[in-house]
Amino acid sequence: MIKSVAPYIGKYKKYTVIASFLTTLGIVANVVPYLFLYQLIVPLTQGQLPDFKFVVIRVAAIFVCLALYAILYSRGLAFSHISAYNTLKNIRISLKDKLERQPLGNIKELGTGQIKRVFTDDIDQIEILLAHAIPEGIANLLVPCIVILAMFFVDWRLTLLTLAVLPFGAFGMAMMMKAGTSLMGAYYESAKKMNNTIIEYVNGMEAIKVFNKDGDSFKRFGDAVRGYRDFTLAWYKVCWPWMAVYNSTLPCLALFTLPFGGLMVLSGKLELSQLVLVLCMSFAVGPAILRALSFGGKIPQLNYKIAELEKLMNGEPIKAGDKNFEGKNYDVEFKNVRFSYKKDLSHGFETSNNSKEKDFALAKSNPCDNEVLHGINLTLKQGTTTALIGESGSGKSTLAKLLVHFYDLDSGSISIGGQDITDMSIEALNNQISYVAQEQFLFNTSLYENILIGRPNASREEVLDAAHRAQCDEFLARFPKGIDTMAGDSGKQLSGGERQRISLARAILKNAPVIVLDEATAFMDPENEEKMNAAIAEIVKDKTVIVIAHRLSSIKKADKICVLKAGNVIAEGTHETLSKDCEEYQKLWKASTAAAEWRIS
């Protein structure tokens, strides 16, 4: 466990060493007062009253030792916390870097709740190991061991009587760890479920209110919270009896020493002063041993959390090279592309369109074969627009996400200008593609800064021009601060269509040679759709464009339309040729036309 965390301590390792040294000195300072106490008690056992000055010096020394203990121990913990929190910072940065190198699709499938738990709760738990278990554990074990060794020189029989309590405490702790570990997986799974359910409940509150589904949604919310409560209580119910055993026995090292030692004194086999000294020494080390072993109960939890963290950090990175873009042109070619979602089907899948597009539907219908794309071969010429259409689950969005390298392929290849996308660095690939999806995330900064993400070194005039070309002028005029208005959390200040226009402005500013529009005009109202289509037509000139749309009227003029069904391309052509020759296209066109003409009577 410590080995797993050690690489992230770095230069702060010295702070952990200093912390261990200072806390050890602090424990020593906390033990010494019992020796002074022994010096005060021994004269009384011999029927003598100690000298007043003698008593005052010992009492003063006790207070000095207690003050030293407080100072040294607190300073030690200060150093250990400096080391701990800097290590946690390094772990979080490393986790962020490693997640960035993993397939983005896999990260999205983890769920916000789980990622939040790992980045905050799980990593925070490692603080117990670094700031307390290591320095305090070393100090609270090392000093008692030295004291117990010294007790053997006083009387080996009394020492063995003192140590006789430890097996009872160790047994209680071992049983607690064994019982607790058996339920730990279920406990953390319930916590994960509760986190994700709470986030889902909050995010879906608008739909819950509108459709009067408070009862159903709150039932799931309540079930998740109660499930977490029940698993927690069940866990503690198993652990509590054993916790009581070791918490009641470990501090009482004199449990056998006092009665049997008293009998030995009465029988003349032991000096009373020896018994008093051993008792004082046992009282000194009892709390320290309990403190050291108390970390034992947290070790299984830490092991579990670190194992989960390592699993996330050691995920297979996405395949990427270190080359810049070296393609001859901007033709895009899919060559025998096969792809399967690797996630456990029992947990389900969710695309970025949030149930709008479920390309894993086929996989769920046949759990033995979760391949969703079956040997796709497509060539998209530079300067042309290619539309991908098909029923939900046909593979349209998956194909687009593979081009922007959200996932690695099972087999086959995707190239731009003849260069395989896995030969390029992620940065080089991202520079060649603008990806505009149905749902676009806006940061809680100004609208200007949100657009500037498209090309961070762009001038203000270029940003304003991109906003103008994306038809943002109308709604920007509503705001007193215009383009410098704050977007709000997740862009809540804007409507769905307005957020899409901001995302389109990003793409315009980026000016990448390959553009992917995944339902990019889904939130457009009829009044603005014509303007948006005109803006899109302007920016896609001489570019390789992939369009995914459910409203087929918007892709009628595409240079090529590809019809997907069950993970296969079943037809390619223009609107005119497919309308005559492709039955699946005719069915989709008819459904799209009927949906467009639908009205509330």
Side-chain angles (χ1 to χ4, degrees):
M1 179 176 62
I2 296 174
K3 184 180 178 181
S4 302
V5 178
Y8 305 100
I9 297 178
K11 65 180 182 181
Y12 296 99
K13 182 179 179 180
K14 63 182 180 182
Y15 288 94
T16 301
V17 174
I18 294 171
S20 300
F21 177 71
L22 291 177
T23 50
T24 300
L25 290 180
I27 296 296
V28 171
N30 200 39
V31 168
V32 171
Y34 287 94
L35 297 179
F36 292 131
L37 183 62
Y38 162 74
Q39 292 179 341
L40 293 173
I41 293 175
V42 168
L44 297 176
T45 63
Q46 299 172 349
Q48 302 174 4
L49 286 175
D51 180 68
F52 178 75
K53 182 179 179 182
F54 179 87
V55 172
V56 170
I57 291 173
R58 267 57 183 180
V59 171
I62 289 173
F63 279 106
V64 169
C65 286
L66 293 177
L68 278 174
Y69 164 71
I71 294 170
L72 291 170
Y73 209 81
S74 61
R75 289 303 300 161
L77 290 181
F79 277 105
S80 70
H81 279 83
I82 291 173
S83 175
Y85 283 110
N86 278 285
T87 303
L88 299 190
K89 176 204 71 176
N90 292 339
I91 291 175
R92 287 189 171 106
I93 292 173
S94 179
L95 177 58
K96 185 270 297 182
D97 292 340
K98 290 180 179 179
L99 284 181
E100 285 181 346
R101 292 195 290 271
Q102 292 182 28
L104 182 59
N106 293 351
I107 296 171
K108 291 174 76 67
E109 286 166 7
L110 287 173
T112 309
Q114 183 178 356
I115 293 177
K116 175 261 179 191
R117 178 177 63 81
V118 171
F119 265 98
T120 57
D121 304 343
D122 289 359
I123 293 179
D124 276 344
Q125 286 294 312
I126 298 175
E127 182 265 342
I128 296 173
L129 173 69
L130 299 173
H132 299 281
I134 293 177
E136 291 188 76
I138 291 173
N140 283 288
L141 280 177
L142 180 62
V143 175
C145 286
I146 295 172
V147 173
I148 290 171
L149 183 64
M151 288 168 64
F152 275 103
F153 288 96
V154 178
D155 189 276
W156 64 271
R157 297 166 298 177
L158 293 178
T159 305
L160 292 178
L161 286 170
T162 301
L163 297 177
V165 176
L166 295 181
F168 293 95
F171 175 75
M173 178 164 289
M175 293 302 294
M176 183 205 71
M177 292 172 67
K178 180 180 178 182
T181 302
S182 65
L183 296 173
M184 191 177 298
Y187 164 75
Y188 282 114
E189 188 62 32
S190 68
K192 171 184 169 183
K193 181 179 179 181
M194 182 182 70
N195 283 338
N196 286 333
T197 302
I198 290 172
I199 290 172
E200 179 189 48
Y201 181 79
V202 173
N203 289 341
M205 198 167 287
E206 180 180 353
I208 292 168
K209 295 294 183 184
V210 169
F211 292 101
N212 199 26
K213 289 293 183 181
D214 298 66
D216 294 341
S217 185
F218 187 74
K219 182 179 183 302
R220 289 197 299 275
F221 179 94
D223 288 345
V225 173
R226 282 189 292 271
Y228 176 72
R229 176 202 64 188
D230 293 342
F231 275 113
T232 304
L233 291 176
W235 192 18
Y236 279 110
K237 188 175 181 180
V238 171
C239 296
W240 276 334
W242 300 114
M243 290 172 66
V245 169
Y246 80 76
N247 273 300
S248 59
T249 55
L250 287 177
C252 302
L253 294 183
L255 186 64
F256 299 117
T257 309
L258 187 58
F260 290 105
L263 289 174
M264 292 167 66
V265 171
L266 292 175
S267 62
K269 296 179 180 178
L270 185 71
E271 293 290 333
L272 179 58
S273 60
Q274 291 177 299
L275 175 61
V276 171
L277 178 57
V278 170
L279 286 174
C280 287
M281 295 171 82
S282 67
F283 292 145
V285 299
I289 292 175
L290 179 63
R291 177 64 177 163
L293 295 182
S294 68
F295 294 112
K298 296 181 174 64
I299 296 303
Q301 298 178 49
L302 286 170
N303 279 332
Y304 185 91
K305 291 178 182 292
I306 289 175
E308 288 291 301
L309 184 61
E310 285 183 325
K311 191 188 301 181
L312 196 60
M313 295 184 79
N314 295 331
E316 191 70 27
I318 199 161
K319 296 174 184 175
D322 54 4
K323 295 181 181 178
N324 292 321
F325 176 69
E326 299 170 352
K328 303 185 296 288
N329 50 43
Y330 296 106
D331 292 353
V332 173
E333 184 177 10
F334 294 83
K335 189 178 294 183
N336 198 28
V337 169
R338 294 182 178 274
F339 175 73
S340 309
Y341 285 103
K342 303 302 188 295
K343 189 174 179 181
D344 184 357
L345 291 175
S346 63
H347 292 86
F349 295 86
E350 185 172 332
T351 68
S352 62
N353 285 348
N354 220 9
S355 299
K356 179 74 175 175
E357 172 78 2
K358 303 235 181 220
D359 285 340
F360 54 85
L362 292 172
K364 293 188 74 174
S365 66
N366 186 3
C368 297
D369 179 13
N370 63 342
E371 187 175 82
V372 295
L373 295 176
H374 316 296
I376 299 292
N377 288 287
L378 273 179
T379 300
L380 290 62
K381 291 294 184 180
Q382 177 178 334
T384 65
T385 297
T386 301
L388 305 180
I389 68 167
E391 295 178 342
S392 292
S394 60
K396 307 184 300 296
S397 287
T398 298
L399 207 57
K401 289 178 174 65
L402 291 176
L403 173 59
V404 292
H405 214 169
F406 274 21
Y407 302 93
D408 281 324
L409 307 178
D410 292 352
S411 63
S413 65
I414 301 175
S415 61
I416 301 176
Q419 182 180 8
D420 196 307
I421 62 172
T422 59
D423 289 340
M424 303 180 222
S425 67
I426 295 295
E427 183 180 5
L429 176 64
N430 289 338
N431 286 336
Q432 309 312 311
I433 303 175
S434 287
Y435 180 71
V436 184
Q438 177 179 340
E439 292 285 352
Q440 284 291 323
F441 183 83
L442 299 189
F443 294 92
N444 190 15
T445 59
S446 69
L447 299 178
Y448 172 83
E449 290 171 319
N450 270 285
I451 297 174
L452 192 63
I453 291 172
R455 183 156 51 90
N457 60 351
S459 66
R460 186 174 178 87
E461 290 71 22
E462 289 173 317
V463 173
L464 292 173
D465 180 61
H468 170 72
R469 294 167 64 191
Q471 308 293 311
C472 297
D473 293 342
E474 181 184 349
F475 68 83
L476 290 178
R478 290 201 323 260
F479 303 119
K481 293 185 178 179
I483 201 169
D484 296 309
T485 300
M486 298 296 287
D489 292 333
S490 301
K492 67 180 182 182
Q493 297 282 13
L494 307 180
S495 68
E498 290 167 349
R499 286 196 296 272
Q500 282 189 324
R501 279 183 267 177
I502 291 293
S503 67
L504 188 58
R506 285 176 180 169
I508 293 171
L509 186 65
K510 186 175 182 179
N511 196 29
V514 179
I515 298 177
V516 179
L517 303 174
D518 189 354
E519 289 285 354
T521 60
F523 293 135
M524 287 295 111
D525 53 72
E527 294 178 2
N528 289 314
E529 186 173 4
E530 188 176 343
K531 294 179 182 179
M532 282 299 299
N533 287 335
I536 291 173
E538 180 184 347
I539 65 166
V540 300
K541 289 178 180 177
D542 300 321
K543 301 186 187 302
T544 308
V545 183
I546 300 177
V547 179
I548 298 170
H550 282 93
R551 287 187 285 186
L552 300 193
S553 59
S554 63
I555 51 92
K556 186 177 178 180
K557 296 180 181 179
D559 298 295
K560 181 166 66 174
I561 301 172
C562 299
V563 183
L564 280 79
K565 185 174 183 178
N568 294 288
V569 177
I570 62 170
E572 297 182 37
T574 62
H575 169 70
E576 289 73 19
T577 58
L578 292 174
S579 297
K580 297 175 183 177
D581 304 331
C582 181
E583 184 178 342
E584 180 70 14
Y585 184 77
Q586 293 167 6
K587 183 178 74 171
L588 292 170
W589 181 264
K590 184 177 180 181
S592 178
T593 304
E597 293 175 351
W598 185 84
R599 297 289 185 274
I600 297 177
S601 59

